């Protein structure tokens, strides 16, 4: 029975149990779940187990059908058992990080194993029965490794048809032993090998002609030759004919050359082309549903000015405030761009600029109202700046005398006069 499962994730092993059955157990089974990245790798387990002297010994065992069987010698002493998995794929060998499991100490073994020959017979019989029932075929090969290398076992087959390759290192060559006594003369040996072939003889006479061999494959088609001269007219072809004509039956067994029949061309009725007795031509009317916008009159062919419902040239009118065309050609022959309507919102109503209503453009406001004027006045004397008051815009108000409460600018001459009066007063006081 399985006591737990070892799970591989990359090079790390984990187990769902931490403690193995106690000391003196034997042949304990653990499930092995490989990492999906190592599906094509064969797996063997390397087990390090403790001994009574404190040393560790190593045991290697194959993992068959995802089951690791820990042999009995690994349970002779309590302590920590160390397990690593060796994964092989061809010449590649990968060893995982070790997993540590605990063997609990026990007072002694109560299991008496049968004698070795009986145990081997029972195990062999069980294994043969199990393999036969499960359809498993096992084969093995052995190769000799280099001296000093480790012995190893690789499974180059599958789970149900394992092929074990045992590599056993060759021992070092021992010292040469002493020469033995000379042996007795042996019996006569067998006939020696035939000697080398003698030199080649002279060439014989030429033999008779051999049979003709089979025909070889067909060669590639050659290049096309130049065009030959035109042959005579065939039977039933009437004489004459011009380029573009075709032969048409006359209905009485004869034939004659005729011009190609004319085919009607489908014209979009809303387009600018039309079918006439002379072929295709441009429509001369200018209606929106079926004209080209071209007129032919006594003055020749021309394009009239387009209007609602009619095709033609760009509509041209005199410049007006409600003009809607992007570009207009006026009756005076000038090109006019579309007029941009009044944008009163783009002008600060409290500033000194205004949009004229008669298309004259921007101008300076002439009123003096603080809410929407520039402080300018116009009368018969021209344009001038009136003095500002508390309610109207205008020029700067200048005081005529010093004041401690005035908010108006003070004239330089007022300050100079005041300073002069102060100097006179000081001179009088000081007696200068």
């Amino acid at each position: 029975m399985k006591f737990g499962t070892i799970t591989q994730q990359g090079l790390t092993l984990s187990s769902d149990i931490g403690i193995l059955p106690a000391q003196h157990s034997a042949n304990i089974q653990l499930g092995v779940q490989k990492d999906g990245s190592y599906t094509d790798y064969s797996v063997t387990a390397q087990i390090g187990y403790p001994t009574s002297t404190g040393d560790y010994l190593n045991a290697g065992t194959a993992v068959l059908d995802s089951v690791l069987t820990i042999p009995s010698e690994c349970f002779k002493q309590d302590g920590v058992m160390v397990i690593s998995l060796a994964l092989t794929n061809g010449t590649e060998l990968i060893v995982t990080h070790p997993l540590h499991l605990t063997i609990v100490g026990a007072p002694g073994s109560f299991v008496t194993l049968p004698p070795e020959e009986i145990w081997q017979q029972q195990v062999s019989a069980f294994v043969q029965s199990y393999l036969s029932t499960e359809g498993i075929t096992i084969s093995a090969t052995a190769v000799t490794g280099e001296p000093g290398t480790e012995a190893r076992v690789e499974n180059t087959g599958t789970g149900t048809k394992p092929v074990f390759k045992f590599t056993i290192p060759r021992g070092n060559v021992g010292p040469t032993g002493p020469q033995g006594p000379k042996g007795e003369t042996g019996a006569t040996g067998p006939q020696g090998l035939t000697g080398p072939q003698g030199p080649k003889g002279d060439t014989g006479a030429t033999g008779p002609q051999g049979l003709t061999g089979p025909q070889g494959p067909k060669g590639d088609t050659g290049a096309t030759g130049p065009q030959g001269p035109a042959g005579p007219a065939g039977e039933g072809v009437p004489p004459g004919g011009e380029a573009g004509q075709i032969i048409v039956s006359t209905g009485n067994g004869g034939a004659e050359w005729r011009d190609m029949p004319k085919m009607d061309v489908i014209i979009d009725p809303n387009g600018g082309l039309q079918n006439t007795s002379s072929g295709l031509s441009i429509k001369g009317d200018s209606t929106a549903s079926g004209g080209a916008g071209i007129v032919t009159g006594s003055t020749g062919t021309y394009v009239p000015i387009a209007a609602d419902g009619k095709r033609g040239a760009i509509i041209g009118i005199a410049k007006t405030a409600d003009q809607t065309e992007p570009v207009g050609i006026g009756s005076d022959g000038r090109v006019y761009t579309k007029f941009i309507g009044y944008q009163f919102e783009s002008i600060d109503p409290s500033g000194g600029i205004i949009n004229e209503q008669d298309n004259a453009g921007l101008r300076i406001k002439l009123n003096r109202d603080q809410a929407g004027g520039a402080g300018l006045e116009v009368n018969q004397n021209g344009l001038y700046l009136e003095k500002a008051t508390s309610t109207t815009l205008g020029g700067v108000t200048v005081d005529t005398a010093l004041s401690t409460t005035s908010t108006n600018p003070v004239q330089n001459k007022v300050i100079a006069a005041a300073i002069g009066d102060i100097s006179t007063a000081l001179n009088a006081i000081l007696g200068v």
Side-chain angles (χ1 to χ4, degrees):
M1 62 177 292
K2 295 180 184 178
F3 282 86
T5 300
I6 297 175
T7 302
Q8 176 199 0
Q9 289 185 335
L11 298 179
T12 303
L13 301 180
S14 61
S15 174
D16 55 358
I17 62 171
I19 301 177
L20 290 169
Q23 183 182 1
H24 309 300
S25 299
N27 302 325
I28 299 301
Q29 291 185 339
L30 296 175
V32 176
Q33 183 174 343
K34 289 194 301 183
D35 190 312
S37 302
Y38 297 85
T39 303
D40 297 331
Y41 286 72
S42 301
V43 184
T44 57
Q46 299 295 324
I47 306 173
Y49 58 93
T51 64
S52 59
T53 62
D55 298 327
Y56 269 76
L57 297 180
N58 182 68
T61 180
V63 177
L64 301 177
D65 293 334
S66 301
V67 175
L68 165 61
T69 301
I70 304 176
S72 57
E73 62 263 27
C74 298
F75 291 91
K76 292 182 180 180
Q77 179 66 38
D78 63 317
V80 177
M81 180 183 295
V82 182
I83 300 176
S84 293
L85 298 182
L87 302 108
T88 57
N89 184 3
T91 59
E92 184 180 16
L93 172 62
I94 300 174
V95 179
T96 66
H97 300 158
L99 172 68
H100 297 79
L101 299 177
T102 301
I103 304 174
V104 179
S109 175
F110 299 98
V111 178
T112 302
L113 296 178
E116 185 175 355
E117 65 274 8
I118 301 300
W119 175 79
Q120 290 181 351
Q121 292 175 5
Q122 292 177 348
V123 171
S124 177
F126 170 77
V127 171
Q128 294 298 328
S129 175
Y130 174 79
L131 297 179
S132 176
T133 302
E134 297 295 328
I136 299 175
T137 303
I138 299 177
S139 58
T141 60
V143 296
T144 301
E146 294 298 324
T149 60
E150 295 184 359
R152 65 177 185 271
V153 180
E154 303 174 72
N155 181 8
T156 60
T158 62
T160 58
K161 293 184 179 180
V163 179
F164 295 108
K165 179 181 177 182
F166 294 87
T167 302
I168 303 174
R170 183 173 62 252
N172 296 324
V173 179
T176 304
Q179 184 173 354
K182 183 178 180 180
E184 299 178 356
T185 302
T188 302
Q191 174 69 34
L193 300 176
T194 303
Q197 184 176 352
K200 182 179 180 182
D202 296 334
T203 303
T206 302
Q209 176 68 35
L211 299 176
T212 302
Q215 183 176 352
K218 183 180 179 181
D220 297 334
T221 303
T224 304
Q227 177 70 32
E235 183 179 358
V237 177
E242 298 178 357
Q245 290 185 323
I246 60 174
I247 299 175
V248 179
S249 173
T250 58
N252 55 2
E256 62 182 2
W257 290 94
R258 293 184 184 176
D259 294 335
M260 286 286 293
K262 297 180 180 180
M263 304 296 292
D264 290 337
V265 178
I266 299 175
I267 301 299
D268 182 359
N270 294 326
L273 299 179
Q274 63 180 344
N275 278 319
T276 68
S277 58
S278 300
L280 288 177
S281 70
I282 298 176
K283 289 185 178 181
D285 59 88
S286 59
T287 59
S289 62
I294 296 176
V295 175
T296 300
S298 57
T299 57
T301 301
Y302 62 96
V303 180
I305 294 177
D308 293 341
K310 290 185 178 182
R311 299 181 180 181
I314 300 173
I315 298 176
I317 59 175
K319 183 183 69 170
T320 63
D322 56 354
Q323 183 176 341
T324 58
E325 288 73 35
V327 177
I329 301 177
S331 57
D332 54 2
R334 298 181 180 178
V335 177
Y336 296 96
T337 58
K338 180 179 180 181
F339 178 76
I340 300 176
Y342 301 108
Q343 302 294 327
F344 295 105
E345 67 278 9
S346 63
I347 303 299
D348 183 2
S350 299
I353 305 297
I354 187 172
N355 273 325
E356 290 288 2
Q357 302 296 323
D358 57 356
N359 302 333
L362 296 176
R363 70 170 176 82
I364 298 175
K365 292 182 180 181
L366 297 180
N367 61 302
R368 299 174 60 210
D369 178 56
Q370 284 189 335
L376 298 177
E377 289 287 345
V378 176
N379 57 22
Q380 66 274 11
N381 297 322
L383 181 65
Y384 65 98
L385 183 65
E386 185 77 12
K387 184 174 70 172
T389 67
S390 60
T391 58
T392 60
L393 300 176
V396 178
T397 301
V398 180
D399 287 341
T400 59
L402 292 177
S403 172
T404 59
T405 60
S406 174
T407 59
N408 297 323
V410 179
Q411 241 180 359
N412 288 337
K413 64 182 182 180
V414 175
I415 297 174
I419 292 175
D421 293 341
I422 295 172
S423 298
T424 302
L426 286 174
N427 290 335
I429 294 173
L430 300 175
V432 179

